[in-house]
């Protein structure tokens, strides 16, 4: 495939070991993390991706080589000599919409001090993946310029622990991507539309609210659009669905000449399709087997929703 290299993306987030329990299986210790899923998913659309993260002394270097082969630059990833990688253990009980976190061990992440100034790259897209909002702000301050587009993802863990800091960074970004539960926590309402309005009033231009099996909605101050979820997907493990969604959004936007409401709407469709592959196997396993051609094939079922 012929991919343009003219829109560098910075992806910041965790790189991790996960352990996932479903009603039918236990994944054991597998590679996960927000930056891992996001960068991997973006790489179907562009090959100019830079990851900022920290890994521990237990993370397999062979996996970094695999990322490199997908057009993901891993030279900004810090390697801790003394600490282990971020570790997260979660369980899906009766249905895949309800996840319980059993363990979050920050490990090396506690000592993550991103220093991006030395790389002097002008990133067109900055993807602040799920991380401590103080670190998200630090990265933002280092890479923000007059023309780049900044996307932010977060999760309940950070909303509960660091809401004030989270709002500080939300007020600066262009696009916030969260799920419906998180939007209610941040938007302080039971009504999705009201939550979107409240969050947009803090500063972002756009917000995407992911609604799992109900699809996703995009809001700007004056526009609103919806996409449905794909049905007929056999779910094995939804972990990483949110990150691969946003990775697809990011990668698609990087492949477009400009960013607008319409392009973000279309990007949601690509994000949903990438996420629909992610959930078909544990961890990254399914994403490791697909190609842009396979994604495009599934996009056809969504074609009537493209603007
Ligand atoms: P999701 O797309 O929401 O399913 O994200 C799953 C990924 O988030 C897993 O691979 C975890 O390693 C990672 N993760 C879990 N908890 C956190 C956290 N508090 N901060 C950052 N990343 C996390």
């Amino acid at each position: 495939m012929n991919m343009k290299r003219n829109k560098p993306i910075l992806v910041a987030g965790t790189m991790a070991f996960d352990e996932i329990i479903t009603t039918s299986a236990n994944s054991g210790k597998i590679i996960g993390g927000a930056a891992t899923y996001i960068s991997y998913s973006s790489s179907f659309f562009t090959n100019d991706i830079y990851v900022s993260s920290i890994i521990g002394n237990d993370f397999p270097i062979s996996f970094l080589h695999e990322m490199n082969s997908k057009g993901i630059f891993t030279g900004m990833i810090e390697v801790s000599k003394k600490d282990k990688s971020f570790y997260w253990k979660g369980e899906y009980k009766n249905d895949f919409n309800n996840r319980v976190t059993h363990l979050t061990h920050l490990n090396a992440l506690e000592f993550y001090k991103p220093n991006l100034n030395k790389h002097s790259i002008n990133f067109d897209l900055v993807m602040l993946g799920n991380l401590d909002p103080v670190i998200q702000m630090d990265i933002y301050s280092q890479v923000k310029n007059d023309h780049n587009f900044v996307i932010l993802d977060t999760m309940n863990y950070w909303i509960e622990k660091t809401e004030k800091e989270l709002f500080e960074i939300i007020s600066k970004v262009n696009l916030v991507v969260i799920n419906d539960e998180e939007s209610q926590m941040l938007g302080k309402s039971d009504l999705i539309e009201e939550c979107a309005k409240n969050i947009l009033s803090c500063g972002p231009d756009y917000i995407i609210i992911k609604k799992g099996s109900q699809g996703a909605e995009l809001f700007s101050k004056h526009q609103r659009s919806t996409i449905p979820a794909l049905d007929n997907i056999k779910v094995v493990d939804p972990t990483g669905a949110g990150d691969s969604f946003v990775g697809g959004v990011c990668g698609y936007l990087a492949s477009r000449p400009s960013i607008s409401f319409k392009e973000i709407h279309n990007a949601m469709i690509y994000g949903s399709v990438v996420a629909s592959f992610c959930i078909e196997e544990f961890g990254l396993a399914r994403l490791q087997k697909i190609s842009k051609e396979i994604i495009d094939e599934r996009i056809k079922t969504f074609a009537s929703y493209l603007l």
Side-chain angles (χ1 to χ4, degrees):
M1 192 182 10
N2 203 1
M3 287 195 277
K4 287 191 187 145
R5 298 187 62 95
N6 55 357
K7 286 206 168 183
I9 305 179
L10 175 69
V11 175
T14 45
M15 293 183 68
F17 282 115
D18 291 344
E19 189 176 339
I20 302 142
I21 304 163
T22 66
T23 48
S24 55
N26 182 326
S27 68
K29 195 171 154 192
I30 56 173
I31 289 174
T36 317
Y37 282 107
I38 297 169
S39 58
Y40 218 95
S41 302
S42 296
S43 74
F44 296 111
F45 306 93
T46 177
N47 53 14
D48 208 1
I49 304 163
Y50 298 76
V51 173
S52 171
S53 189
I54 186 164
I55 53 176
N57 52 22
D58 50 354
F59 200 88
I61 299 303
S62 59
F63 186 75
L64 301 185
H65 296 154
E66 182 179 329
M67 291 169 79
N68 299 152
S69 73
K70 310 271 300 174
I72 305 166
F73 178 72
T74 54
M76 292 177 178
I77 299 170
E78 287 173 42
V79 186
S80 167
K81 286 201 178 77
K82 58 178 181 40
D83 294 293
K84 291 196 163 139
S85 302
F86 179 88
Y87 173 76
W88 174 81
K89 181 173 178 179
E91 179 171 1
Y92 299 90
K93 289 233 157 100
N94 301 319
D95 76 70
F96 284 121
N97 286 321
N98 288 311
R99 179 161 86 188
V100 179
T101 289
H102 289 310
L103 293 170
T104 302
H105 291 168
L106 298 180
N107 296 333
L109 191 67
E110 272 197 77
F111 308 99
Y112 178 37
K113 293 254 174 301
N115 179 2
L116 304 171
N117 294 322
K118 61 185 177 200
H119 295 283
S120 67
I121 299 164
N122 281 322
F123 299 105
D124 285 85
L125 272 129
V126 177
M127 177 61 231
L128 300 173
N130 196 0
L131 271 177
D132 183 336
V134 174
I135 298 181
Q136 290 177 318
M137 181 65 94
D138 185 6
I139 294 170
Y140 174 89
S141 313
Q142 294 183 44
V143 298
K144 181 62 193 155
N145 60 37
D146 287 343
H147 73 274
N148 58 12
F149 190 86
V150 185
I151 308 175
L152 174 135
D153 185 15
T154 191
M155 72 184 288
N156 50 4
Y157 182 89
W158 301 112
I159 300 173
E160 282 156 15
K161 277 173 109 82
T162 50
E163 194 183 65
K164 183 174 153 279
E165 292 81 357
L166 188 54
F167 270 112
E168 278 165 24
I169 182 66
I170 284 178
S171 72
K172 300 200 173 288
V173 304
N174 301 97
L175 167 65
V176 173
V177 184
I178 47 179
N179 69 30
D180 40 6
E181 202 185 305
E182 291 153 1
S183 77
Q184 287 167 348
M185 289 169 80
L186 281 173
K188 314 272 189 259
S189 167
D190 291 337
L191 300 170
I192 292 280
E193 195 176 355
E194 197 63 24
C195 295
K197 204 171 134 208
N198 292 343
I199 297 167
L200 286 174
S201 73
C202 301
D205 304 311
Y206 307 96
I207 178 165
I208 293 176
I209 302 185
K210 299 167 287 176
K211 303 192 299 181
S213 55
Q214 306 290 307
E217 292 206 57
L218 168 64
F219 295 86
S220 69
K221 289 211 170 72
H222 306 292
Q223 285 174 286
R224 174 181 187 170
S225 74
T226 305
I227 61 155
L230 274 139
D231 42 23
N232 296 327
I233 305 292
K234 193 179 168 303
V235 185
V236 171
D237 167 26
T239 309
D243 295 319
S244 43
F245 173 88
V246 87
V249 166
C250 218
Y252 177 81
L253 289 178
S255 74
R256 306 301 296 162
S258 61
I259 297 179
S260 60
F261 186 90
K262 178 180 163 207
E263 291 294 12
I264 300 173
H265 170 93
N266 291 343
M268 288 203 292
I269 293 179
Y270 282 84
S272 291
V273 168
V274 179
S276 75
F277 284 107
C278 174
I279 64 181
E280 289 178 334
E281 290 188 43
F282 271 109
L284 288 157
R286 185 72 175 118
L287 296 181
Q288 287 172 308
K289 294 179 196 130
I290 61 168
S291 62
K292 176 71 167 43
E293 288 67 32
I294 294 176
I295 291 171
D296 285 340
E297 202 44 50
R298 197 173 277 184
I299 287 284
K300 287 182 190 161
T301 54
F302 254 143
S304 61
Y305 295 98
L306 287 164
L307 294 180

